Amino acid sequence: MAPRCMLKEIALFAVTLAVVAISVAAQAKAGCQSSCGNISIPYPFGTGNTDCNISRNFFIRCNTTFNPPKAFLTTSEIEVVHISLDGYLRINKSIGYDCYNSTGRSSYSDKWMNLAKFPISHTRNKFTAIGCDTYAYVQDNQGDTYSTGCLTFCNNIADVINGSCSGIGCCQTAIPKGVKSYHVTFNSSNNHSKILGFNPCSYGFVLEDGAYNFSVSDLYSDDFRHKKLPMILDWTIGFQTCTEAKMDPQNYACKQNSACIDAENGPGYLCKCLDGFQGNPYLTNGCQDIDECERRKPCSGSATCHNAAGSYSCSCPEGFEGDGWKNGTGCSLQAKPRRQRFPILVVSLGVGISLVSSLLCSSWLYLGLKQRKLPN
Ligand SMILES: *[C@@H]1O[C@H](CO)[C@@H](O)[C@H](O)[C@H]1NC(C)=O
Ligand SMILES: *[C@@H]1O[C@H](CO)[C@@H](O)[C@H](O)[C@H]1NC(C)=O
Ligand SMILES: *[C@@H]1O[C@H](CO)[C@@H](O)[C@H](O)[C@H]1NC(C)=O
Ligand SMILES: *[C@@H]1O[C@H](CO)[C@@H](O)[C@H](O)[C@H]1NC(C)=O
Ligand SMILES: *[C@@H]1O[C@H](CO)[C@@H](O)[C@H](O)[C@H]1NC(C)=O
Ligand SMILES: *[C@@H]1O[C@H](CO)[C@@H](O)[C@H](O)[C@H]1NC(C)=O
Ligand SMILES: *[C@@H]1O[C@H](CO)[C@@H](O)[C@H](O)[C@H]1NC(C)=O
Ligand SMILES: *[C@@H]1O[C@H](CO)[C@@H](O)[C@H](O)[C@H]1NC(C)=O
Ligand SMILES: *[C@@H]1O[C@H](CO)[C@@H](O)[C@H](O)[C@H]1NC(C)=O
Ligand SMILES: *[C@@H]1O[C@H](CO)[C@@H](O)[C@H](O)[C@H]1NC(C)=O
């Protein structure tokens, strides 16, 4: 009984600590820079000190030459604009283009990217191409793992509809799962020669789903090619499954009050705070209890709300009955108040018992600590 008892006391202490820590709510590791310009950098990502990132793939290079400073993924030129603890990060990518004038091709920029660890999200991105004489392809850098793309044609700009990416001026296709590199290339049937008046260029990019609305004017806009558009990468911890990772507690990334989730895209896993907790599951004491009483006020007016680690409850005052919930039966005057004595007895008995056990615990703790000191 003794160790269980001590655990309870220690847990109470930890909860008190957590409540104190809530005001700080740092998402970065202790002593680490928590943002780069406007971009916050939650652990397992980190910048500056080499202990601030969980492994080398999670290093963020903050370049303060820019104003506001820009964040780059490890040593690459990949610009990170948002890091989500839900296992994805948003990057800003320039788009590929293939432009023509009356004498032929005037400029061409195929785009490629190689990622060390993080795959391109297949659920949150779409390969998109724009143009009226356009074949656009996307494949891995060697071209031997996957290859896909789409084509879009139009002879008359009046046929093109804003917002529609279905093959008239704009086309879209999904990209496969687990892809860590891409290369965008182009071709055309007539070098845009018949449509130079309203569409001299073809464009192609892998893009966050919903982050761009096709507009007819993008077909002839001069500066569309200089745009940067968002794209989503999935990130995971390590290369193991949850089951494998738990067998190596030294390196297991999910801390207290969190659960492990096997990654959906590629190897590795993610951590998530348990229900009723919030914060950064990768940090010690990162998942902190949510005070639902304060946040949601779930109990009806006369009821008392009790917040507990990971949960909460409502109770009606003496002489009232009901579940105490705002959306439940609430609290109403009890029909027969005579039966009131019994619960009070139980409550005071309970309080007495917990007082005694608390005392017992403290003495156990005290003795335990004392005993541990003896060998020194
Ligand atoms: C970035 O931060 C600067 C000041 O530090 C602010 O003026 C600017 O509006 C912010 N930009 C964004 C996109 O949040
Ligand atoms: C963080 O990233 C840096 C740069 O890649 C690397 O040298 C360092 O070892 C990483 N930290 C950890 C704990 O792996
Ligand atoms: C920051 O960016 C500038 C301009 O691109 C570059 O010259 C410089 O080397 C970069 N610094 C770091 C530390 O990456
Ligand atoms: C077409 O583009 C090429 C390359 O940019 C340029 O040298 C040439 O002068 C352009 N022709 C016309 C007619 O603008
Ligand atoms: C581009 O398209 C032209 C005409 O349709 C074709 O002859 C040529 O082989 C294609 N080039 C590539 C690299 O696919
Ligand atoms: C397209 O342009 C290229 C060179 O820019 C030329 O070799 C090719 O013959 C042209 N194709 C057509 C169909 O005009
Ligand atoms: C695209 O259009 C939809 C509906 O018209 C709008 O809700 C959304 O905000 C637009 N997205 C962008 C990136 O402009
Ligand atoms: C398409 O959207 C652009 C702005 O994005 C607007 O200027 C243009 O008038 C729209 N065209 C049509 C046909 O709705
Ligand atoms: C992406 O880059 C473009 C061009 O540099 C910039 O205008 C845009 O604000 C950037 N997007 C974000 C989300 O930082
Ligand atoms: C009342 O709302 C809570 C969430 O606020 C929900 O969990 C519970 O099931 C609801 N109860 C009823 C009876 O609707």
Side-chain angles (χ1 to χ4, degrees), residues 100 103-105 189-191 193:
Y100 294 83
T103 50
R105 181 175 271 164
S189 346
N190 297 307
N191 288 349
S193 56

Side-chain angles (χ1 to χ4, degrees), residues 235-254:
W235 59 264
T236 62
I237 305 288
F239 295 92
Q240 299 162 300
T241 62
C242 286
T243 318
E244 289 162 355
K246 280 174 187 162
M247 290 193 282
D248 178 14
Q250 195 82 33
N251 292 312
Y252 182 50
C254 306

Side-chain angles (χ1 to χ4, degrees), residues 135 137 186-190:
Y135 295 88
Y137 310 96
F186 301 93
N187 198 3
S188 71
S189 346
N190 297 307

